[in-house]
Amino acid sequence: MSASPATRATGRPVLGTAGGARPAQVSGPAGTDAAFAVEFSGLGRSFPTVAARGRRPAAPAVARPVLRDVTLSVRPGEVLAILGTSGCGKSTLLRIAGGLDSPSAGSVSIDGSPVTGFDTRCAVGFQEPRLLPWRTVAANVALGLPRGTARESGQARVAELLDLVGLSAFAGHRPAAISGGMAQRASLARALARNPGVLLLDEPFGALDALTRLKMQDLLLEVHAAAPTTVLLVTHDVDEALQLADRIILLGQEPAVTDAAIPGATIVQELTVPGHRPRDRGSAELAELRGRLLAGLGIDRHGDTRGVAAGTTIPHFPY
């Protein structure tokens, strides 16, 4: 699927070319072949401090804002990457989208209907594979099938997904007998078994070595091309975001009128990634966007500080 050529009009900076407790309810149909739009409207999330949890009974309850005023529209079939420093609320935003957490303010909707509890239109992929060690790879993938799936059609769906992620030959193996990359592929297949309208990925490749991570990124692109669901991807890896996403948002704190930052993270940058996937990892255009995103994360490119202008071409080895 190609990146969108235009950026939605917002009040936030845009880069590139043309952005509590787990509820008990369950909402949404289990399993779908459609990609759904996701809408965040004025969303905020605060958590109680230690004092409010009872260590100091006499102290008044105090809320610590993590997210505030997050307003965002995600198009059906879009891959949206969510970047930000640790603790800025990326995973919290993902959990709220799937109904695994509730917002303190604002709302989130999927396909036009509000998320009011755990939403079966979503599937989640975690940083760790979280496979059950006593089950085979195929049996672990089958755990993702919607409730009530007929045995025969379920087996066919599992076989299809194992073929899609290249694990057909390992269907009968247990997690201890496969590599970390294979386990993560099985985890992705399990998430896709639900036929989700929205796929929520929380640092899905963060625990893998660098080479396996690149291969998993390519696999995700192949999977998305075969089943173009809407994807919300949390990552710390700027290069990964540029390679996989149609659009990138950067969560952070906006400065107040004073020197102090306004409590709670919001969307401070939004970027539409140019070009078609798969993209050239050595692209000069992506390198420039990478530098801007790193600057937004507070990381200096160091070119100027080492006496090398940012636009200077550094000669190849040997010098």
PDB file of all heavy atoms in Angstrom, residues 57-84:
ATOM      1  N   PRO A  57      -2.999   8.478  53.703  1.00  0.00           N
ATOM      2  CA  PRO A  57      -4.461   8.578  53.670  1.00  0.00           C
ATOM      3  C   PRO A  57      -4.983   9.996  53.800  1.00  0.00           C
ATOM      4  O   PRO A  57      -6.032  10.324  53.262  1.00  0.00           O
ATOM      5  CB  PRO A  57      -4.901   7.710  54.857  1.00  0.00           C
ATOM      6  CG  PRO A  57      -3.747   6.790  55.096  1.00  0.00           C
ATOM      7  CD  PRO A  57      -2.518   7.568  54.742  1.00  0.00           C
ATOM      8  N   ALA A  58      -4.238  10.852  54.495  1.00  0.00           N
ATOM      9  CA  ALA A  58      -4.726  12.203  54.721  1.00  0.00           C
ATOM     10  C   ALA A  58      -4.509  13.103  53.511  1.00  0.00           C
ATOM     11  O   ALA A  58      -5.099  14.174  53.412  1.00  0.00           O
ATOM     12  CB  ALA A  58      -4.028  12.811  55.942  1.00  0.00           C
ATOM     13  N   ALA A  59      -3.650  12.690  52.595  1.00  0.00           N
ATOM     14  CA  ALA A  59      -3.331  13.540  51.450  1.00  0.00           C
ATOM     15  C   ALA A  59      -4.469  13.500  50.436  1.00  0.00           C
ATOM     16  O   ALA A  59      -5.093  12.469  50.238  1.00  0.00           O
ATOM     17  CB  ALA A  59      -2.038  13.074  50.795  1.00  0.00           C
ATOM     18  N   PRO A  60      -4.755  14.637  49.809  1.00  0.00           N
ATOM     19  CA  PRO A  60      -5.806  14.645  48.781  1.00  0.00           C
ATOM     20  C   PRO A  60      -5.372  13.861  47.544  1.00  0.00           C
ATOM     21  O   PRO A  60      -4.185  13.729  47.267  1.00  0.00           O
ATOM     22  CB  PRO A  60      -5.954  16.139  48.461  1.00  0.00           C
ATOM     23  CG  PRO A  60      -4.626  16.736  48.821  1.00  0.00           C
ATOM     24  CD  PRO A  60      -4.131  15.944  49.996  1.00  0.00           C
ATOM     25  N   ALA A  61      -6.338  13.344  46.822  1.00  0.00           N
ATOM     26  CA  ALA A  61      -6.040  12.594  45.600  1.00  0.00           C
ATOM     27  C   ALA A  61      -5.433  13.532  44.564  1.00  0.00           C
ATOM     28  O   ALA A  61      -5.937  14.624  44.328  1.00  0.00           O
ATOM     29  CB  ALA A  61      -7.308  11.949  45.067  1.00  0.00           C
ATOM     30  N   VAL A  62      -4.330  13.073  43.962  1.00  0.00           N
ATOM     31  CA  VAL A  62      -3.652  13.861  42.937  1.00  0.00           C
ATOM     32  C   VAL A  62      -3.510  12.999  41.687  1.00  0.00           C
ATOM     33  O   VAL A  62      -3.082  11.857  41.763  1.00  0.00           O
ATOM     34  CB  VAL A  62      -2.257  14.314  43.417  1.00  0.00           C
ATOM     35  CG1 VAL A  62      -1.552  15.109  42.315  1.00  0.00           C
ATOM     36  CG2 VAL A  62      -2.382  15.158  44.678  1.00  0.00           C
ATOM     37  N   ALA A  63      -3.872  13.560  40.557  1.00  0.00           N
ATOM     38  CA  ALA A  63      -3.776  12.837  39.292  1.00  0.00           C
ATOM     39  C   ALA A  63      -2.537  13.285  38.532  1.00  0.00           C
ATOM     40  O   ALA A  63      -2.228  14.474  38.469  1.00  0.00           O
ATOM     41  CB  ALA A  63      -5.026  13.065  38.453  1.00  0.00           C
ATOM     42  N   ARG A  64      -1.816  12.341  37.953  1.00  0.00           N
ATOM     43  CA  ARG A  64      -0.630  12.650  37.145  1.00  0.00           C
ATOM     44  C   ARG A  64      -1.007  12.497  35.672  1.00  0.00           C
ATOM     45  O   ARG A  64      -1.214  11.393  35.188  1.00  0.00           O
ATOM     46  CB  ARG A  64       0.516  11.700  37.503  1.00  0.00           C
ATOM     47  CG  ARG A  64       1.782  11.907  36.671  1.00  0.00           C
ATOM     48  CD  ARG A  64       2.877  10.980  37.135  1.00  0.00           C
ATOM     49  NE  ARG A  64       2.552   9.585  36.927  1.00  0.00           N
ATOM     50  CZ  ARG A  64       2.801   8.911  35.800  1.00  0.00           C
ATOM     51  NH1 ARG A  64       3.368   9.521  34.778  1.00  0.00           N
ATOM     52  NH2 ARG A  64       2.477   7.636  35.703  1.00  0.00           N
ATOM     53  N   PRO A  65      -1.085  13.602  34.933  1.00  0.00           N
ATOM     54  CA  PRO A  65      -1.452  13.506  33.513  1.00  0.00           C
ATOM     55  C   PRO A  65      -0.347  12.828  32.700  1.00  0.00           C
ATOM     56  O   PRO A  65       0.825  13.163  32.829  1.00  0.00           O
ATOM     57  CB  PRO A  65      -1.614  14.972  33.087  1.00  0.00           C
ATOM     58  CG  PRO A  65      -1.695  15.755  34.362  1.00  0.00           C
ATOM     59  CD  PRO A  65      -0.895  14.993  35.369  1.00  0.00           C
ATOM     60  N   VAL A  66      -0.718  11.848  31.895  1.00  0.00           N
ATOM     61  CA  VAL A  66       0.214  11.185  30.990  1.00  0.00           C
ATOM     62  C   VAL A  66      -0.055  11.610  29.549  1.00  0.00           C
ATOM     63  O   VAL A  66       0.868  11.916  28.800  1.00  0.00           O
ATOM     64  CB  VAL A  66       0.114   9.654  31.134  1.00  0.00           C
ATOM     65  CG1 VAL A  66       0.978   8.954  30.088  1.00  0.00           C
ATOM     66  CG2 VAL A  66       0.543   9.233  32.530  1.00  0.00           C
ATOM     67  N   LEU A  67      -1.319  11.627  29.171  1.00  0.00           N
ATOM     68  CA  LEU A  67      -1.729  12.082  27.839  1.00  0.00           C
ATOM     69  C   LEU A  67      -2.740  13.210  27.995  1.00  0.00           C
ATOM     70  O   LEU A  67      -3.529  13.218  28.950  1.00  0.00           O
ATOM     71  CB  LEU A  67      -2.374  10.943  27.047  1.00  0.00           C
ATOM     72  CG  LEU A  67      -1.475   9.772  26.639  1.00  0.00           C
ATOM     73  CD1 LEU A  67      -2.333   8.641  26.086  1.00  0.00           C
ATOM     74  CD2 LEU A  67      -0.439  10.203  25.610  1.00  0.00           C
ATOM     75  N   ARG A  68      -2.734  14.149  27.056  1.00  0.00           N
ATOM     76  CA  ARG A  68      -3.749  15.198  27.075  1.00  0.00           C
ATOM     77  C   ARG A  68      -4.057  15.656  25.655  1.00  0.00           C
ATOM     78  O   ARG A  68      -3.173  15.726  24.792  1.00  0.00           O
ATOM     79  CB  ARG A  68      -3.280  16.395  27.913  1.00  0.00           C
ATOM     80  CG  ARG A  68      -2.076  17.103  27.335  1.00  0.00           C
ATOM     81  CD  ARG A  68      -1.788  18.429  28.037  1.00  0.00           C
ATOM     82  NE  ARG A  68      -0.704  19.119  27.365  1.00  0.00           N
ATOM     83  CZ  ARG A  68      -0.855  19.860  26.272  1.00  0.00           C
ATOM     84  NH1 ARG A  68      -2.053  19.994  25.740  1.00  0.00           N
ATOM     85  NH2 ARG A  68       0.181  20.451  25.705  1.00  0.00           N
ATOM     86  N   ASP A  69      -5.297  15.909  25.407  1.00  0.00           N
ATOM     87  CA  ASP A  69      -5.762  16.535  24.167  1.00  0.00           C
ATOM     88  C   ASP A  69      -5.173  15.874  22.917  1.00  0.00           C
ATOM     89  O   ASP A  69      -4.658  16.548  22.023  1.00  0.00           O
ATOM     90  CB  ASP A  69      -5.429  18.036  24.190  1.00  0.00           C
ATOM     91  CG  ASP A  69      -6.191  18.792  23.092  1.00  0.00           C
ATOM     92  OD1 ASP A  69      -7.264  18.295  22.688  1.00  0.00           O
ATOM     93  OD2 ASP A  69      -5.703  19.836  22.642  1.00  0.00           O
ATOM     94  N   VAL A  70      -5.245  14.544  22.850  1.00  0.00           N
ATOM     95  CA  VAL A  70      -4.789  13.829  21.656  1.00  0.00           C
ATOM     96  C   VAL A  70      -5.963  13.727  20.681  1.00  0.00           C
ATOM     97  O   VAL A  70      -6.955  13.054  20.961  1.00  0.00           O
ATOM     98  CB  VAL A  70      -4.269  12.424  22.006  1.00  0.00           C
ATOM     99  CG1 VAL A  70      -3.917  11.656  20.733  1.00  0.00           C
ATOM    100  CG2 VAL A  70      -3.058  12.525  22.922  1.00  0.00           C
ATOM    101  N   THR A  71      -5.853  14.425  19.577  1.00  0.00           N
ATOM    102  CA  THR A  71      -6.885  14.416  18.543  1.00  0.00           C
ATOM    103  C   THR A  71      -6.240  13.946  17.244  1.00  0.00           C
ATOM    104  O   THR A  71      -5.280  14.554  16.763  1.00  0.00           O
ATOM    105  CB  THR A  71      -7.505  15.806  18.370  1.00  0.00           C
ATOM    106  OG1 THR A  71      -8.135  16.196  19.613  1.00  0.00           O
ATOM    107  CG2 THR A  71      -8.544  15.808  17.257  1.00  0.00           C
ATOM    108  N   LEU A  72      -6.773  12.868  16.686  1.00  0.00           N
ATOM    109  CA  LEU A  72      -6.113  12.226  15.556  1.00  0.00           C
ATOM    110  C   LEU A  72      -7.099  11.347  14.801  1.00  0.00           C
ATOM    111  O   LEU A  72      -7.918  10.664  15.409  1.00  0.00           O
ATOM    112  CB  LEU A  72      -4.954  11.363  16.078  1.00  0.00           C
ATOM    113  CG  LEU A  72      -4.181  10.503  15.079  1.00  0.00           C
ATOM    114  CD1 LEU A  72      -3.357  11.374  14.144  1.00  0.00           C
ATOM    115  CD2 LEU A  72      -3.298   9.510  15.810  1.00  0.00           C
ATOM    116  N   SER A  73      -7.013  11.369  13.475  1.00  0.00           N
ATOM    117  CA  SER A  73      -7.799  10.476  12.635  1.00  0.00           C
ATOM    118  C   SER A  73      -6.860   9.531  11.901  1.00  0.00           C
ATOM    119  O   SER A  73      -5.924   9.980  11.240  1.00  0.00           O
ATOM    120  CB  SER A  73      -8.630  11.272  11.615  1.00  0.00           C
ATOM    121  OG  SER A  73      -9.577  12.101  12.265  1.00  0.00           O
ATOM    122  N   VAL A  74      -7.111   8.239  12.020  1.00  0.00           N
ATOM    123  CA  VAL A  74      -6.323   7.220  11.331  1.00  0.00           C
ATOM    124  C   VAL A  74      -7.210   6.612  10.256  1.00  0.00           C
ATOM    125  O   VAL A  74      -8.294   6.109  10.542  1.00  0.00           O
ATOM    126  CB  VAL A  74      -5.832   6.124  12.302  1.00  0.00           C
ATOM    127  CG1 VAL A  74      -4.881   5.167  11.588  1.00  0.00           C
ATOM    128  CG2 VAL A  74      -5.154   6.742  13.519  1.00  0.00           C
ATOM    129  N   ARG A  75      -6.751   6.661   9.022  1.00  0.00           N
ATOM    130  CA  ARG A  75      -7.556   6.198   7.894  1.00  0.00           C
ATOM    131  C   ARG A  75      -7.594   4.665   7.831  1.00  0.00           C
ATOM    132  O   ARG A  75      -6.639   4.002   8.245  1.00  0.00           O
ATOM    133  CB  ARG A  75      -7.004   6.754   6.587  1.00  0.00           C
ATOM    134  CG  ARG A  75      -7.051   8.264   6.494  1.00  0.00           C
ATOM    135  CD  ARG A  75      -6.483   8.745   5.180  1.00  0.00           C
ATOM    136  NE  ARG A  75      -5.061   8.456   5.062  1.00  0.00           N
ATOM    137  CZ  ARG A  75      -4.098   9.248   5.500  1.00  0.00           C
ATOM    138  NH1 ARG A  75      -4.412  10.384   6.114  1.00  0.00           N
ATOM    139  NH2 ARG A  75      -2.829   8.932   5.335  1.00  0.00           N
ATOM    140  N   PRO A  76      -8.653   4.089   7.284  1.00  0.00           N
ATOM    141  CA  PRO A  76      -8.709   2.630   7.113  1.00  0.00           C
ATOM    142  C   PRO A  76      -7.540   2.133   6.265  1.00  0.00           C
ATOM    143  O   PRO A  76      -7.253   2.671   5.204  1.00  0.00           O
ATOM    144  CB  PRO A  76     -10.044   2.411   6.381  1.00  0.00           C
ATOM    145  CG  PRO A  76     -10.867   3.613   6.705  1.00  0.00           C
ATOM    146  CD  PRO A  76      -9.897   4.748   6.830  1.00  0.00           C
ATOM    147  N   GLY A  77      -6.847   1.114   6.740  1.00  0.00           N
ATOM    148  CA  GLY A  77      -5.723   0.539   6.017  1.00  0.00           C
ATOM    149  C   GLY A  77      -4.418   1.284   6.180  1.00  0.00           C
ATOM    150  O   GLY A  77      -3.386   0.838   5.670  1.00  0.00           O
ATOM    151  N   GLU A  78      -4.413   2.382   6.916  1.00  0.00           N
ATOM    152  CA  GLU A  78      -3.190   3.162   7.110  1.00  0.00           C
ATOM    153  C   GLU A  78      -2.287   2.482   8.135  1.00  0.00           C
ATOM    154  O   GLU A  78      -2.754   1.839   9.067  1.00  0.00           O
ATOM    155  CB  GLU A  78      -3.538   4.570   7.592  1.00  0.00           C
ATOM    156  CG  GLU A  78      -2.339   5.488   7.789  1.00  0.00           C
ATOM    157  CD  GLU A  78      -2.718   6.897   8.211  1.00  0.00           C
ATOM    158  OE1 GLU A  78      -3.870   7.105   8.642  1.00  0.00           O
ATOM    159  OE2 GLU A  78      -1.864   7.794   8.110  1.00  0.00           O
ATOM    160  N   VAL A  79      -0.969   2.639   7.952  1.00  0.00           N
ATOM    161  CA  VAL A  79       0.003   2.234   8.964  1.00  0.00           C
ATOM    162  C   VAL A  79       0.492   3.507   9.634  1.00  0.00           C
ATOM    163  O   VAL A  79       1.159   4.339   9.014  1.00  0.00           O
ATOM    164  CB  VAL A  79       1.189   1.466   8.357  1.00  0.00           C
ATOM    165  CG1 VAL A  79       2.183   1.091   9.449  1.00  0.00           C
ATOM    166  CG2 VAL A  79       0.709   0.209   7.637  1.00  0.00           C
ATOM    167  N   LEU A  80       0.146   3.672  10.905  1.00  0.00           N
ATOM    168  CA  LEU A  80       0.526   4.854  11.673  1.00  0.00           C
ATOM    169  C   LEU A  80       1.548   4.461  12.722  1.00  0.00           C
ATOM    170  O   LEU A  80       1.303   3.561  13.531  1.00  0.00           O
ATOM    171  CB  LEU A  80      -0.694   5.472  12.360  1.00  0.00           C
ATOM    172  CG  LEU A  80      -0.375   6.695  13.217  1.00  0.00           C
ATOM    173  CD1 LEU A  80      -0.317   7.957  12.357  1.00  0.00           C
ATOM    174  CD2 LEU A  80      -1.386   6.870  14.342  1.00  0.00           C
ATOM    175  N   ALA A  81       2.711   5.103  12.706  1.00  0.00           N
ATOM    176  CA  ALA A  81       3.738   4.855  13.719  1.00  0.00           C
ATOM    177  C   ALA A  81       3.647   5.920  14.797  1.00  0.00           C
ATOM    178  O   ALA A  81       3.443   7.102  14.509  1.00  0.00           O
ATOM    179  CB  ALA A  81       5.127   4.866  13.086  1.00  0.00           C
ATOM    180  N   ILE A  82       3.801   5.489  16.045  1.00  0.00           N
ATOM    181  CA  ILE A  82       3.742   6.385  17.204  1.00  0.00           C
ATOM    182  C   ILE A  82       5.114   6.401  17.857  1.00  0.00           C
ATOM    183  O   ILE A  82       5.581   5.384  18.374  1.00  0.00           O
ATOM    184  CB  ILE A  82       2.674   5.924  18.208  1.00  0.00           C
ATOM    185  CG1 ILE A  82       1.306   5.801  17.513  1.00  0.00           C
ATOM    186  CG2 ILE A  82       2.591   6.880  19.387  1.00  0.00           C
ATOM    187  CD1 ILE A  82       0.256   5.097  18.351  1.00  0.00           C
ATOM    188  N   LEU A  83       5.778   7.552  17.794  1.00  0.00           N
ATOM    189  CA  LEU A  83       7.107   7.727  18.369  1.00  0.00           C
ATOM    190  C   LEU A  83       7.032   8.604  19.607  1.00  0.00           C
ATOM    191  O   LEU A  83       6.107   9.407  19.765  1.00  0.00           O
ATOM    192  CB  LEU A  83       8.052   8.385  17.361  1.00  0.00           C
ATOM    193  CG  LEU A  83       8.616   7.554  16.207  1.00  0.00           C
ATOM    194  CD1 LEU A  83       9.415   8.452  15.280  1.00  0.00           C
ATOM    195  CD2 LEU A  83       9.485   6.427  16.727  1.00  0.00           C
ATOM    196  N   GLY A  84       8.039   8.490  20.449  1.00  0.00           N
ATOM    197  CA  GLY A  84       8.127   9.337  21.636  1.00  0.00           C
ATOM    198  C   GLY A  84       9.122   8.756  22.615  1.00  0.00           C
ATOM    199  O   GLY A  84       9.496   7.589  22.522  1.00  0.00           O
TER     200      GLY A  84
END
